[in-house]
C-alpha cells in the first residue's frame, strides 16, 4: 500500500500542469491565486521591483504614497481570493470604511460631500438642488438595475464568442446602453454641479463621461452596495498581504524580469523568453500586459483580422499626470478624497480626449491618505497625491521632458488658489509621473492610464478577449480585457479566466 500511494503521488506531481502569469497587477495576482487552487503549478513574473503593477508603493524618508488605486470598492473580490484557500482577508490587512467618500469642490468655492450615509448625501444635495435630492433614489434604482445585469451576471462571464454578445442585445437596449453616462445622469439630475459629481465614474476607469456607455453607471450602485474602503497602510499594504498569501500557497514570484519574446508552435506558445535570454515553458500562459503592447510588440505577426482591426482603430484611455508631495504641516480640513473641478467640464474633456491639448483649466483628484492613516507621513506632516487627467502620448505636441516641471508648478498653483493657501512653501518632498512613465514603467501603449477607453464598441465581445483570438493556450486578464479597468474590473477578469479553464 505505501508503494502504491508513493507511485500515485509521483504520477500526480508529474502530471501537474504549469501556468506562467506575465504581469503582477491585481489581475495577474488574482489569476495566480485562482490557478493554483485549480491544481496548476504557477509562476508569476513581473518587470517591476515590487508586485502590484500600477499599484506601486513609495516610502521616502517617512512619507508614503500609493502610486495607483487609492480605494477599494468591491472588497468581496479580495475576500474571495483568501477564502478559496481557507484564509481570511482580515487576518492579513484591515480595510477601513470611509464616511465621506468624495468631496467635490467647485470653481465658485462651494462643495458637495458624497457620503456613506444616503441620508446625509441627500441632505447635502438639497443644499444645491432640492428637486435633484428628491430624485436621487430614482437614479440609484436605475444604477442598480444596470449593476444587477452588467456586473452581477456578466462581469465574470467570458465574451470571446459573438453569440454571447448577441444574446445580451435586448437587455443592453433596454438599459439604453447607447446613451453615455452624462446623459444617463442628466435624466435624473438637472443641476450642473450634481451632474458633474454623479457622472465622473468613467474617469475612474479611463473614459470620457460624454462618450462612455451608461453601462458604467453601475459603478454608482457598486459603491452603495459594497461601500468605499481604504486599506490601512495603503494599497501597497494590500499588495503585501496578497504577496504573503501567494508565498503561503506555493506560487513562485519572479520580479525585475521582462518577458519580451514568445516562441510559438502550432498556434500555441511553446515558451517565453525574458530580457536576459532565460526561457520558460508552461502548459498555459496568462498575460496581464496591456493587450495593445502584447499584440503590437510581442506577437504582432500572428494577428487575426479581428485583432488587426482592434489595434488599428483602438481608442486609448486618457493619460495621467500624478504629482506626489509631502508637506511639513497638516491640512486638517481636507478630506481623504477631493475632486477639484475647474470652470470647464465638457470643454476640458474635449481637449483631453479629442483635441489632445494640455489644458490650463484643470480638474484634480486629490488623495490625502493621512486623513485616515497617520502612518503615511512623519508626525505633524501630510502626504498627498494629485492626479490630473491629460492627453495620452498620441498627442505629439506635448513634450513631457520639457513640459512636466511647468505642469507640476501649475498644479501647485491651482491647489494654492482653490484649496491649500501657501502650499508651495510647505512642500518638503515631491516627484511626479507622466504618461511617459506609464509607457516606460508599465509598457502601457501610448502611455494610457487605463489601456482601452470604455466605449460600448470596446466593451465585452468588442474588447480584447480573455481567451486569445490567435493562440490556443494564451489567456488575457487586466484593464484592457473584459470586463474592463478599475480594481473590480481587473479582479473580475481573473474570475473570467477561471471559468474558461
Amino acid at each position: 500500500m505505501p508503494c502504491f500511494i508513493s507511485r500515485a503521488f509521483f504520477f500526480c506531481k508529474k502530471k501537474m500542469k504549469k501556468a506562467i502569469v506575465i504581469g503582477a497587477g491585481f489581475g495577474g495576482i488574482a489569476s495566480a491565486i485562482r490557478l493554483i487552487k485549480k491544481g496548476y503549478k504557477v509562476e508569476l513574473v513581473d518587470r517591476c521591483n515590487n508586485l502590484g503593477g500600477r499599484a506601486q508603493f513609495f516610502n521616502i524618508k517617512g512619507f508614503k504614497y500609493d502610486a495607483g488605486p487609492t480605494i477599494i470598492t468591491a472588497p468581496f473580490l479580495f475576500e474571495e481570493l483568501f477564502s478559496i484557500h481557507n484564509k481570511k482577508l482580515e487576518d492579513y490587512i484591515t480595510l477601513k470604511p470611509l464616511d465621506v467618500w468624495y468631496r467635490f469642490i467647485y470653481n465658485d468655492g462651494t462643495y458637495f460631500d458624497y457620503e456613506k450615509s444616503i441620508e446625509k448625501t441627500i441632505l447635502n444635495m438639497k443644499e444645491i438642488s432640492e428637486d435633484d435630492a428628491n430624485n436621487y433614489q430614482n437614479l440609484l434604482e436605475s444604477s442598480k438595475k444596470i449593476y444587477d445585469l452588467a456586473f452581477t451576471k456578466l462581469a465574470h462571464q467570458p465574451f470571446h464568442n459573438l453569440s454571447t454578445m448577441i444574446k445580451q442585445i435586448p437587455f443592453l437596449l433596454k438599459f439604453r446602453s447607447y446613451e453615455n453616462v452624462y446623459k444617463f445622469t442628466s435624466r435624473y439630475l438637472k443641476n450642473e454641479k450634481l451632474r458633474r459629481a454623479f457622472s465622473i465614474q468613467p474617469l475612474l476607469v479611463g473614459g470620457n463621461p460624454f462618450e462612455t456607455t451608461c453601462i458604467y453607471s453601475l459603478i454608482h450602485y457598486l459603491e452603495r452596495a459594497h461601500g468605499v474602503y481604504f486599506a490601512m497602510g495603503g494599497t501597497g499594504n494590500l499588495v503585501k498581504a496578497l504577496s504573503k498569501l501567494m508565498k503561503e500557497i506555493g506560487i513562485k514570484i519572479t520580479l525585475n524580469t521582462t518577458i519580451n519574446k514568445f516562441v510559438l508552435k502550432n498556434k500555441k506558445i511553446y515558451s517565453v523568453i525574458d530580457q536576459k535570454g532565460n526561457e520558460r515553458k508552461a502548459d498555459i500562459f496568462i498575460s496581464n500586459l496591456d493587450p495593445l503592447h502584447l499584440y503590437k510588440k510581442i506577437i504582432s505577426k500572428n494577428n487575426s483580422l479581428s485583432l488587426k482591426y482592434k489595434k488599428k482603430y483602438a481608442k486609448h484611455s486618457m493619460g495621467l499626470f500624478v504629482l506626489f508631495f509631502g508637506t511639513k504641516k497638516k491640512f486638517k480640513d481636507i478630506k481623504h478624497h477631493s475632486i477639484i473641478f475647474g470652470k470647464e467640464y465638457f470643454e476640458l474633456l474635449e481637449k483631453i480626449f479629442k483635441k489632445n491639448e494640455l489644458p490650463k483649466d484643470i480638474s484634480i483628484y486629490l488623495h490625502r491618505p493621512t486623513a485616515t492613516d497617520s502612518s503615511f507621513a512623519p508626525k505633524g506632516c501630510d502626504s498627498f497625491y494629485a492626479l490630473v487627467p491629460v492627453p495620452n502620448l498620441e498627442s505629439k505636441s506635448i513634450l513631457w521632458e520639457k513640459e512636466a516641471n511647468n505642469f507640476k508648478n501649475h498644479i501647485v498653483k491651482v491647489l494654492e488658489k482653490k484649496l491649500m493657501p501657501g502650499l508651495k512653501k510647505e512642500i518638503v518632498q515631491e516627484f511626479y509621473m507622466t504618461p511617459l512613465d506609464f509607457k516606460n514603467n508599465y509598457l502601457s501603449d501610448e502611455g494610457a492610464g487605463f489601456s482601452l477607453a470604455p466605449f460600448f464598441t470596446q466593451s465585452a465581445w468588442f474588447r480584447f478577449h480573455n481567451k486569445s483570438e490567435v493562440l490556443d493556450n494564451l489567456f488575457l486578464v487586466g484593464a484592457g480585457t473584459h470586463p474592463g479597468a478599475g480594481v473590480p474590473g481587473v479582479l473580475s477578469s481573473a474570475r473570467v479566466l477561471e471559468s474558461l479553464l
Side-chain angles (χ1 to χ4, degrees), residues 167-399:
K167 289 178 183 177
Q168 304 308 322
I169 290 176
F171 300 102
L172 296 172
L173 292 175
K174 178 182 176 181
F175 293 125
R176 303 191 199 181
S177 58
Y178 48 85
E179 287 187 352
N180 63 53
V181 169
Y182 185 83
K183 190 170 183 179
F184 168 87
T185 305
S186 299
R187 277 196 263 141
Y188 301 95
L189 306 177
K190 305 305 178 187
N191 183 276
E192 177 58 23
K193 289 181 177 180
L194 294 176
R195 283 180 172 180
R196 289 190 183 191
F198 289 101
S199 67
I200 63 152
Q201 295 96 339
L203 287 165
L204 304 179
V205 293
N208 180 348
F210 293 92
E211 295 185 317
T212 299
T213 168
C214 71
I215 292 170
Y216 284 84
S217 295
L218 69 84
I219 296 173
H220 182 65
Y221 184 77
L222 174 74
E223 293 173 337
R224 281 281 166 225
H226 304 289
V228 174
Y229 297 81
F230 180 68
M232 296 301 285
T235 309
N237 209 29
L238 178 57
V239 172
K240 287 182 181 178
L242 291 164
S243 176
K244 182 180 178 183
L245 171 65
M246 287 192 289
K247 289 173 182 176
E248 290 173 352
I249 61 180
I251 294 171
K252 181 181 179 181
I253 298 171
T254 305
L255 299 174
N256 299 302
T257 301
T258 301
I259 301 298
N260 54 22
K261 184 178 179 181
F262 289 5
V263 178
L264 309 180
K265 289 185 179 180
N266 301 322
K267 291 189 68 179
K268 286 188 175 183
I269 301 173
Y270 175 74
S271 65
V272 293
I273 299 174
D274 66 27
Q275 81 278 18
K276 296 179 182 178
N278 298 314
E279 186 175 26
R280 291 172 171 81
K281 298 177 183 178
D283 297 283
I284 64 170
F285 298 83
I286 292 83
S287 171
N288 190 203
L289 301 171
D290 181 347
L292 285 164
H293 173 82
L294 173 72
Y295 288 124
K296 283 183 177 181
K297 301 294 176 63
I298 300 180
I299 54 174
S300 59
K301 294 180 180 179
N302 293 272
N303 287 180
S304 65
L305 287 175
S306 171
L307 285 179
K308 289 176 181 178
Y309 178 86
K310 289 176 183 178
K311 289 194 303 178
K312 183 175 181 179
Y313 296 103
K315 295 183 179 180
H316 298 75
S317 79
M318 75 286 199
L320 301 172
F321 187 102
V322 191
L323 170 62
F324 305 87
F325 61 97
T327 62
K328 62 186 179 183
K329 66 167 276 189
K330 279 190 172 295
F331 290 83
K332 296 180 180 179
D333 294 333
I334 297 178
K335 299 297 182 182
H336 192 116
H337 292 105
S338 300
I339 294 176
I340 306 162
F341 287 113
K343 182 179 179 181
E344 298 177 341
Y345 188 51
F346 174 80
E347 296 83 0
L348 168 69
L349 297 170
E350 283 281 296
K351 289 175 182 176
I352 293 170
F353 285 92
K354 292 189 174 181
K355 297 180 180 179
N356 286 328
E357 296 177 7
L358 192 59
K360 296 287 185 183
D361 181 25
I362 58 176
S363 290
I364 303 172
Y365 178 100
L366 185 68
H367 179 224
R368 180 185 172 234
T370 33
T372 303
D373 187 345
S374 61
S375 74
F376 265 72
K379 188 176 180 179
C381 300
D382 258 342
S383 168
F384 295 90
Y385 94 21
L387 182 150
V388 180
V390 296
N392 56 50
L393 296 179
E394 288 179 331
S395 174
K396 306 306 179 187
S397 63
I398 303 173
L399 303 176

Side-chain angles (χ1 to χ4, degrees), residues 29 89 294 330 410 435 466 474 478:
I29 290 172
L89 174 66
L294 173 72
K330 279 190 172 295
H410 180 56
N466 303 97
L474 173 63

Side-chain angles (χ1 to χ4, degrees), residues 27-47:
I29 290 172
S31 297
I33 292 170
R34 290 182 179 278
L35 282 166
I36 204 163
K37 180 65 177 178
K38 291 188 75 69
Y40 285 86
K41 181 180 179 181
V42 182
E43 181 179 7
L44 178 61
V45 183
D46 195 88
R47 70 194 310 267

